[in-house]
Amino acid sequence: MIQRFIELGEGYSDLYELLEIMETNKDRISQLLCLKVKKEDKMYASLVAVLHPALEGKFQPLYICREGVPYPSKRIDLFEAKAAELNKEVITFDVKPSTDFAETELFFHYLTGILRLNYLIPPLS
């Protein structure tokens, strides 16, 4: 199985794309995540929609709006409202900011490890 983060942006107008992905793939949603980070003494969030793997190809996308959404904010409320509409719970927890990593890809590996350890995404098979 291939699990890959697909970065939509930082959560400004691309948040609406994430909400649309959630709506059009409501039967494939596995998890909805709000990953909080502290940057420059302010709280921000990455919003993530984890979809079940596709049957063909075993590809599991994790759509992310990375660290651009102030926490709390109206955009967080929109994400939580869409989750409630889809009868899904938003799982919220704190993570290190991506700026602690030399490359964004290393940050995504860090998140993948956390998600696997907490059984939020399946192990590679």
Side-chain angles (χ1 to χ4, degrees), residues 1-3 28 52-61 124-125:
M1 176 181 345
I2 299 168
Q3 296 163 327
R28 283 190 64 202
H52 289 290
L55 295 177
E56 289 288 322
K58 305 282 191 210
F59 176 78
Q60 183 174 30
L124 292 179
S125 53

Side-chain angles (χ1 to χ4, degrees), residues 29-87:
I29 293 176
S30 169
Q31 306 290 339
L32 296 174
L33 310 171
C34 177
L35 311 177
K36 299 186 315 186
V37 299
K38 188 172 188 175
K39 291 179 8 180
E40 302 166 8
D41 294 326
K42 294 182 183 176
M43 292 300 292
Y44 294 93
S46 294
L47 302 175
V48 184
V50 180
L51 276 65
H52 289 290
L55 295 177
E56 289 288 322
K58 305 282 191 210
F59 176 78
Q60 183 174 30
L62 295 92
Y63 291 98
I64 185 169
C65 293
R66 183 171 52 98
E67 298 177 354
V69 181
Y71 187 89
S73 69
K74 293 285 186 191
R75 285 180 268 165
I76 300 285
D77 294 343
L78 284 171
F79 185 73
E80 291 174 344
K82 179 56 78 175
E85 180 184 315
L86 300 172
N87 295 318

Side-chain angles (χ1 to χ4, degrees), residues 3-32:
Q3 296 163 327
R4 184 168 300 136
F5 279 91
I6 300 171
E7 188 170 1
L8 300 174
E10 295 181 347
Y12 298 102
S13 61
D14 47 272
L15 172 65
Y16 298 102
E17 181 64 22
L18 181 63
L19 297 175
E20 187 65 24
I21 288 168
M22 291 163 58
E23 178 64 33
T24 58
N25 290 284
K26 54 186 156 200
D27 295 335
R28 283 190 64 202
I29 293 176
S30 169
Q31 306 290 339
L32 296 174

Side-chain angles (χ1 to χ4, degrees), residues 3-5 33-39 46 48 62 64 66-67 92-121:
Q3 296 163 327
R4 184 168 300 136
F5 279 91
L33 310 171
C34 177
L35 311 177
K36 299 186 315 186
V37 299
K38 188 172 188 175
K39 291 179 8 180
S46 294
V48 184
L62 295 92
I64 185 169
R66 183 171 52 98
E67 298 177 354
T92 303
F93 54 93
D94 295 333
V95 297
K96 292 180 184 181
S98 63
T99 53
D100 284 3
F101 299 86
E103 298 175 16
T104 304
E105 197 60 35
L106 294 174
F107 173 66
F108 290 152
H109 287 299
Y110 159 74
L111 291 181
T112 300
I114 290 172
L115 298 178
R116 284 190 189 136
L117 284 171
N118 288 285
Y119 301 101
L120 297 172
I121 61 174

